[in-house]
Amino acid sequence: GAVVSQHPSWVICKSGTSVKIECRSLDFQATTMFWYRQFPKQSLMLMATSNEGSKATYEQGVEKDKFLINHASLTLSTLTVTSAHPEDSSFYICSAKNWDLGGELFFGEGSRLTVL
Amino acid sequence: AQSVTQPDIHITVSEGASLELRCNYSYGATPYLFWYVQSPGQGLQLLLKYFSGDTLVQGIKGFEAEFKRSQSSFNLRKPSVHWSDAAEYFCAEQGAQKLVFGQGTRLTINP
């Protein structure tokens, strides 16, 4: 099967620091990955579409200078939350599109960020 | 705008009882529809999907869903739930650019 792994699963940081979350496709190449944010007891909200070798496409209302996305290789996309504040605390989930399986999306396990 | 609606925020059923989770979509004459399950603190796992063909699709873990174009619905069913089915369930539709999720339905199982 296709596996997507996120790291770290949990991260706690102080307000004002930056945090990087990694999303890796372990057994397939993913030219397109997606980053979502999920608030408690709510649905997933798409933040941005990450395309290998090009700039990410951000959804309306998402600050691209706040949430930096880099997709430098076919198996890795990173989300960096810059100058994090408590309101950035959330569950962040990535997904990767597997074209070997018809473009089906595979989701990572999620990363919970807590900003103190 | 494209939207996916799950009318039930929370459903409680007894173990062994049947289950139906509702989903309505709004986009496209030929929708691509999905059901995902999310356990607490975890990512999403695909239960089943519909692209075309037979309107009754079978998924993993004994789940099935029926696509009804006339009702713009894609309801998820299971004949007999197990305690391990307790989770959050999301219906989703593939739009032109992105996957749009419903609000989710939290399923609680009574012993």
Side-chain angles (χ1 to χ4, degrees), chain B residues 50-103:
Chain B
Y50 172 78
F51 286 172
S52 64
D54 193 346
T55 56
L56 184 63
V57 294
Q58 302 297 321
I60 62 171
K61 304 185 179 187
F63 285 93
E64 66 178 26
E66 186 171 14
F67 170 66
K68 291 186 177 180
R69 187 186 304 277
S70 61
Q71 298 177 18
S72 297
S73 69
F74 188 57
N75 295 348
L76 182 71
R77 301 195 295 246
K78 186 169 184 177
S80 177
V81 298
H82 186 262
W83 63 266
S84 60
D85 293 324
E88 189 86 19
Y89 291 81
F90 292 97
C91 181
E93 182 183 10
Q94 181 64 52
Q97 301 293 335
K98 61 185 180 182
L99 193 63
V100 176
F101 289 89
Q103 304 91 321

Side-chain angles (χ1 to χ4, degrees), chain A residues 78-95:
Chain A
T78 60
L79 168 68
T80 301
V81 183
T82 62
S83 186
H85 287 91
E87 58 266 30
D88 299 323
S89 298
S90 193
F91 194 56
Y92 293 90
I93 301 177
C94 73
S95 69

